[in-house]
Amino acid sequence: MPRIPNGNEEDAVKNSSTTNLNGIGEHDRQKNAYQMKDLHAPGNSRGQKKPFLRVLDQGGVPVAAKEIVLGSSTWIPEAPDALVTFITGNVHFDQWRRDDFRSALQGGFIKLINSLNLAIFDDGMHYGLSKVLGDVVREEEMLKKITTTKGGRPPLIGIVNLNRLRDQDYPDDMIRPDDASSIFTIESEHAVKLPLDPNHSHHVFLPNQSYREAGLTRVALEKAIQEELSIRASTDASEAGKRVIPMVAFLFQGELDDLERVKAYCEQGIPVVVMEGCGGLGDVLSAAISDSAEMDGNRLRSSIDQKLHKTFPTLKNSEYGSVDTINLVLDILTLSHGDRHALLLSVVNCRLIDTFASLNSAVLKSAINSSSARASPELFASFLMLAVKCNKPDVATSMLLARPPWCNMELPVQAFEMALILPGREKFVDFYLLQQFPVRKYLSHLKLLKLFREAKDRQFFPEHVWEGILRYSLTQPIQPEFIVADLNKLISKLTGIRDYIDVYELSASAFGENTSVDVSTAERKAMNALLVFAALFNRPNLVKVLIKYSSEPLLQALFAESLYHGLYRNVSHFAMSEVLQFTCNQFAQIATDLLDKAVTVSPIRGHGILTRRFPDFNNKTPLEIAYDTNNKQFVAHTNVQSWLDQYYFNFVKVKGAWDNLKLFLSAIFIFPMYIWLSFPRLRKVPPVPSRDDIPSQDGVFRPKSAQDAEKILAKVQRIQAGEQAADRSTEVVPRPPFMEMLRAVWAAPAVRFYTWHMFYWMFLILICVDIMLPPCRFIGVDIAVFVLTISMWCEIVLRTVYDMQRFRRVHWVERSYDLISQTVFNILFFLYRIAPYRYDHPFAGRVILAFGIVYYCYRVWGWFYYMDKTIGPLIRVTVQMFRLDLSRWIVLIAPFLISTSLIFMGVINPDWPATGDDWRHAFYRGIFNLFGAFNNELEYTPACENPGTKVSPNSYLPSAPNGNRWIHKNRTGLADGQPDYRCWSGDYNNYNCATISFWSYFFVIQYYVFLKLGMGNMLTAFYVTRNIAAARQGPAVWKYHRCRIILDYATRTSLPPPFYALGYIYKMIRYCMKPKGSKGSHLSSGVATTGGNDSGDSFTYWKGLALEYFRGKEMQENMANMPRQQLDMLTGIQDDLTVLSKKLAAADRKILDVEESTKQTGVFMQDTAGHVMHKKQATLAEIAQPWPHKLARTSLYPGTTVARTFIPNDKVDWKEPLDDYRPEQFDGKSAKDKIAGSADDRPRSRKNSDISRKDSALNLQHVGGYNRADSRISDAVPLPSWITTSDKVPVDYSVNEYGLPLNPFGRTGLQGRGSLQRLGPNHKVFFAITNRQGDGFRFIVHQVPPKNISLLPQSVVGNEETEYGVACLILDAFLFDSNSLSGRDQDFSDIRSLQSMYDAVEKQVKGRLSSIIENFDRKPISLREVYRGYCDSPLNTDNAWLEVVVFQLSLPAFGIDRFTSYKWRVYSSDAGLPDFDAAIVRQLATEYSL
C-alpha cells in the first residue's frame, strides 16, 4: 500500500474515497483515531484516541500487514525479539478461584515482557486474558515512568471480531452487523457482546465473520505481519528474508471453534503452547497429546471424545459435531509431528504455580522445537539471543549448544555481547569462553564504551562509581574520554595500579592491526578489561568466570580483590560497603585457594609465581599486590609465610639454630659465612641446551654423529650399572664467588633489619644520655643526636619517594605521623638545643628532648617488636585495644566523669571561690579518681572543727546581738567586698573544709560504684572481647604486618645507618636512567623474575588449575544444594509416579483387552485352522459367505495401519447389542477415486463422505433406496445387492440412522468405505475359462504385473455396467492379450442376460479362434453361472462390502503363446491362487471329475 504524507493525508483520503485497496477502506488507510469512552470511569468525558485498522475481507490481509509494519505511523517501531499471540476465546473463559494463581500469571506476563522485546496479539476485549494483559502492560508502563526506566510499552494489538464487539464501542465510521447471533456455532446461546479493552495500544477490526472464520483471518494477518517484520529486520538486501522473527501462540482455555485456528497455526509452522490445567480447549488438547503417546487409534478417539463431552457438554447433542471435532484434534496431532525434527505442540503444566514464572522458557523452547527442520546460522543467532535475554542457559545448552544441527554452527558475537550487557548471564559467558571464544577480536575501546553505556544494571555503577567516586552527574552521559583516560585513573585510585588498560592495543588487536603483541597477550589484556567492567558493575559471578578462563588466574583474583577493596573503601553507603567487603574477602579466599592448590600440585610453580613480576600490574609480584591491597588472608597463608621465611634470609640457608644471630654475625665478621651459611640460589645453572640437542618433534633424540651416539650409549650403560649414583654421591658443589656471597648476605632483609635495630638502640642510648647531661656543657652530644635524627628523617623521606616511584603502597597515615613528628622535633630541637640562644630556655629544650625520647621509644613497638613471633601478635592486640576499645570506653565514661567532677566541687566544697582553681581541682579529682580513690575526701579534720571556723546559725544574720559579723574574704585574707547577707552554703567559713552530709556520701559512693564496679569492668570486658576476636584474626594480622616489615627492609639500601640515605639517592638515579618500560615495583634483584607466563607450559598449567578449582567449587555448591535438588527430584519422581500409575492403569486395561483378544484370537485361529483343514472339501458358497465372516474382521486393514475393533463371533450380527461400539472410520482411495480425483484418505464424517446429507435423506425417503437403482441418485450411489435367499429372492440390506448401508453379514470392526469403490455392495466378476486335455482339467490364469501374481480373470463392475458386459470385456482382453478392459472399442452395455452373453461370447470366440483351431465351428462351447452372492474379503467394512458373480466358459483345447500374460494351468493343486480363486477352480475340477 502506498504511503500518504502526513500533510496531505486528509486530501488524499477525500480523493480516494471510492477506492478500496485490497480490503482496507478509506478510513482504514489513513489509520484514523476513533474516540473511545473511558471504560473504567463511565462518567469521565475525556477519552483516548487509538489508531485502528479495519480489514474488509481476506484479500486485505497482506496490505493491512504492510500498513502495520511499514506505514507512516508504524505500530511496531522496533524489530521485536518474538511475536506472541494468545488464543483464549470469550465464551468459556473461567475465572480462577485462587488469587495466588492469578497473581502468578500476571507476574509471569510481567517477566515475559521485561525479558523480551515482544509484539503481542490477542482478542482486544476487556474480558478474560485480554484484560489481564492490558492491565499488566499499563501497570508496567506506569512503573517505568515513575522509576524513569528506559523502554516503552510493548505493542499490544487487539485483533477484534466485530461480531463480538459491544455496540457502543463501535467506531462511528463502522457499520454494525444486523444479526450477530447468526455467526455463532454450538455455543451461541452463551455468546455475549464484549467491550474493547482501553489499555491496548492498537486495534484491528476484522470483517463481520463467524468466530471460526475471523480466527482464520487473524492467523493469516499475524503470519503476514511476521513475514513483513522479518523482511524489515534484515540488515541489507543480501540478507533479505534470512532473519525470521519467531512467533509463538499460547492456548489459554479456548473454545471449540479455536481448534480451527490452532490447526491453522500448525499448518503455518507456528508453534502452539498449550497451557494445561486452565480449563477449556487447552485441557482437551493437552490430554490428547499425552494420550497419543500411549493409546492406539480407537482408544485415543474414545479418550478425546470423553474429554470433549466433559469439557463441552453441548457436543453430546451433535454426533456429527463430535466426530468432526475428534477428527480435527487428530489432524492437529498429526500436523504437530509432521516433521520428525519439528514439534509444533508443547504443553506447560499450569497446575503448578511456579510454571507461570517461566513463560519465557516456554516461548524459547517452542520457537526452537518448531524450527529444527530449517536450522540456519541466522536462526541459531536469533534463538541464542532469545535464550540470553530470557536467561535460560539450560535451555540453550540442551536444545541449541548440545544438539545437532545447532551445535555445529558458529557462536554469534552479538549473543556474547548481550550476555555481558545483561546481568546474571555468567553461564553464557562461561560457555563462550569454554569454546575458546576470541575475546581479543571482540573487545575494542568502542565495544568497551558500549558495554559501559548499555549495561542494564544501572544501579551500582551510576550511583556509587560514576557519581560517588568520579563525581559526575547521573544525567551526564559516558563519553569516550572515560575509556581513554578516566578509566585508568579510576583503576589507579582503587588499586594503585597505573595504566592498566592500553586502549590502543585493545583496539588494534580487535581490528587485527596489532602485530607487535602475540595472541595470548592480546587475549589476556582483553580479559583484563572485561574483568574491570564486571567489577565496576558489581558482578562478582562474572568476575569469577573471567578468572576461571584467565591465563593468570592468581593475579586476576588478587586484582579483583584489590578492585573490590578499593570500592568498599570509597563507597559511602554502609550496607553496600559491607556487601563489597564480603565480596572482597571472597576473592581473597579464591586467590589463597589457587595458591594452595598450585603449591600442592607443583611446589616449584606455586612458590615461583610469588617472585614473578607481571608487566600488566606495574611489574609487581603477586605478593606485593596482595600486600598493597591489605589482603591479610593471602599474605597469612602458610605457603606465603614459608616463602617469606626464606625470603627474609634472601634464600640463604643457615646451619643449626640461632639463624638470625648467625646470619647477622656472618654479615659483620664475614668469615663465619664459610661455616654457617650455604647459597643454593647462587649455584651455577646448567646451560640451556642448543637447538641441536633438543629432541625432534616426534620425541626421539637423534644424535648428529657417531661420536654422539657412542657417548649416549656409554651414559646408558653407566646408568644401568649404577655408576651415576656413585658420581652423584661424591659430587662436590663449588662455592659461589666471595663478592656474590657478601652481596647476598647484606641484601637479606634479616641483616638489614638487625643492622637498623642495633643502630636504633644505640641512638636511643645516646638520646637518653643527652637528657641526663647538663645542657650547657655537652653541645657535641646534642649535635650527634640532631645528625642522627636528621638522617632518620631523610631516610623516611627518600624511602617514601622511592616507594612512590616504584608504585608501592605507602601507609600515609603512619608515614605522615612519622614525618610530621620527626620534622617538628628536629626543628624545635635545633632551636632550643643547638641554636645560639638555646640557653635562654633550657627547661623548654629539655622538655622537647623528653618528647623526642617518648616518640622514639614508643616507635620501637611498631618498628621492631612486630617481627617477634610471640610478642608481635600481642602488640597488635594491644594496639587494637588502645586504638578502638579505650577510645570507646572514654566516650562512655565521659558523662560520668564530667558530671561527678563538678558534683564533688559543688557538694563537698560548695563555697570554693570562682577563681579558675575550682575547675583545676574538679579536673584533678575526676581524672585521678580513675586510678585511685581519695580515701580522705570525707575524713574528719580537727582544724575545721575549731569554734572560729565553724559557722553558727546566728552568724548569718547581719544584726546579731554580740555584734560578731561574718565577713567574706578572699584567699589572701582580705575582704572582697561581698555583702553581709551573702548565702553561705557550707558548714565552715573556710572553703577548704569539706562539707560532710548525707548527699556528700551519696554522690561519692555512686561515683565510685559506677566507676570502679561498672565502667572499670566494662573496660575489662572490652579488652577480653577484643582478645577473643583477635585470637581468630590476630595471627593473620600479625603475619601481614610481618610481611610488610620484610618487604620494607627488602627494598631498603644495603648501606648501614646513617649512610643509607646515600643508597636511596643512588637507587633513584639508577631508576631515572632506566627505560620507561622496565620501571616498576619489584623485589630485590636475584629474587624476583620477569613474568614470562605466556609460555605454553605456564598458560596451560594455570588455566587448567583454575578450571579444576572452579569445577570443584561448583561441585561443592551442588552438594550444598543437594537437599533442595533431592526435594525437587522427589517431587518430580512423585509426578512421574502419578503419570506412571495412570499409564499402568491404561496398561492394565490394555492387558485385559489383549487377554480377551488373545482368547478370541485363539478361537479365531482354531476356526481358521479348521477352515484351512477342510477348505478343500468346502463348497464355493461356504468359502465366499461363511457365518460369521472371518476375513472381513482381520486386522490390519490391507495396505494401511488402520486397525479394526475386535468383534467377538457372538457380536457380529447387527441384532446383537454391543455397547460403546464406535469403530474407527476409514475412507481410503479406491482406484476409481484416484482417477476421478475424489476425497482424500483422511477420516471423514458423513457430511464429508461420498453421499451428502441430502442424498441420504432422499435414499431414506424411498424404502430400499440403496437396494434399488434410482435415477435421482447419483452414480456414486451403490447398486442393489446380489445376495439372495435360498429361494433366489434378492436381500434388502439395512440402513442405519445416518443413512449409511450396513453390511448384511454383520459387524467388521471398521466404519466407512475403506478401499472399495463405493458404500454398500461393490460388484465384481470372476471369469473361469476352462477346457479338457486328455484326463486333465485346465484353466486360464492371468499373471498380473508387476509381481506376476496368478489370478483368475476378474474385474469390478463400474457405474452403468452389467456383470454380463464386464464378463465379455474380460473375455475380449483374454482373446487379444490385453491388461486393460478398455483397450478395444467394444460396447457390451446392452448385454443384460446370460443368454445374450452366450451369444456375444460365441461370436467373440469364433471370430478369434476360428483361424487358430481347425473345424472350430463344429466344436461345442458352454457358458454358465457358477456363483453369485456375498464374498468374505479383508476389504469389507461395516458400510461397504464385496459381492461377486462367477462365470465358467468351457472351450476346446488350443495353444497360447508363451509371451502372453494369460497361461493355461493344469489343475493339480490350488497353490499359488488366492483362497477364493482356488475355491472356484477346486469346485469346477470336482464337477469335471464327476
Side-chain angles (χ1 to χ4, degrees), residues 657-836:
W658 305 93
D659 46 1
N660 290 281
L661 180 62
K662 289 181 179 179
L663 183 64
F664 179 72
L665 293 177
S666 298
I668 299 298
F669 298 106
I670 299 176
F671 72 89
M673 66 181 178
Y674 287 95
I675 304 173
W676 293 334
L677 307 182
S678 62
F679 303 86
R681 283 294 183 97
L682 298 181
R683 293 177 181 175
K684 296 292 183 179
V685 180
V688 178
S690 63
R691 184 180 298 272
D692 296 332
D693 296 334
I694 298 176
S696 59
Q697 295 182 357
D698 57 359
V700 180
F701 183 84
R702 293 182 173 83
K704 296 181 294 183
S705 61
Q707 292 79 6
D708 292 340
E710 292 177 358
K711 291 180 181 179
I712 294 172
L713 292 176
K715 185 176 181 180
V716 172
Q717 292 175 358
R718 287 197 304 273
I719 292 175
Q720 292 177 350
E723 295 179 1
Q724 188 172 7
D727 294 342
R728 287 181 179 177
S729 63
T730 59
E731 182 180 1
V732 178
V733 180
R735 283 187 173 273
F738 171 75
M739 292 304 298
E740 292 185 5
M741 291 192 297
L742 186 62
R743 189 183 301 111
V745 170
W746 277 99
V751 174
R752 296 174 180 178
F753 172 77
Y754 282 105
T755 303
W756 170 250
H757 198 181
M758 182 182 66
F759 162 78
Y760 196 81
W761 278 108
M762 295 172 63
F763 165 74
L764 288 180
I765 294 173
L766 180 63
I767 196 173
C768 290
V769 170
D770 190 22
I771 199 173
M772 299 299 296
L773 295 176
C776 303
R777 298 181 180 179
F778 298 94
I779 185 67
V781 178
D782 290 338
I783 294 175
V785 170
F786 180 73
V787 170
L788 292 178
T789 55
I790 285 294
S791 67
M792 287 188 288
W793 179 86
C794 292
E795 191 269 342
I796 294 176
V797 172
L798 293 174
R799 180 152 48 93
T800 303
V801 175
Y802 181 75
D803 290 343
M804 293 176 62
Q805 286 181 338
R806 297 283 178 165
F807 308 131
R808 296 186 71 248
R809 181 187 178 188
V810 178
H811 295 268
W812 285 109
V813 176
E814 183 178 348
R815 194 70 60 89
S816 300
Y817 167 72
D818 290 334
L819 286 173
I820 294 173
S821 300
Q822 294 191 30
T823 301
V824 172
F825 172 77
N826 287 330
I827 293 174
L828 295 178
F829 186 81
F830 177 80
L831 294 177
Y832 285 92
R833 298 284 293 188
I834 298 177

Side-chain angles (χ1 to χ4, degrees), residues 1326-1332 1337-1342 1351-1354 1367-1376 1397 1401 1405 1409 1421-1424 1426 1446-1452 1454 1456 1462-1465 1480-1481 1484:
F1326 284 80
F1327 206 167
I1329 305 173
T1330 63
N1331 72 358
R1332 299 179 181 179
F1337 175 76
R1338 296 196 309 172
F1339 56 95
I1340 292 292
V1341 294
H1342 182 205
L1351 298 174
L1352 293 179
Q1354 53 191 275
C1368 292
L1369 289 174
I1370 293 174
L1371 180 61
D1372 187 79
F1374 160 66
L1375 295 175
F1376 293 94
M1397 175 186 171
V1401 167
V1405 172
L1409 300 180
I1421 63 173
S1422 62
L1423 176 68
R1424 70 186 181 107
V1426 180
V1446 180
F1447 296 106
Q1448 180 192 13
L1449 175 62
S1450 180
L1451 297 177
F1454 65 93
I1456 299 178
Y1462 293 92
K1463 305 292 183 183
W1464 286 110
R1465 177 174 294 182
I1480 296 173
V1481 175
L1484 296 177

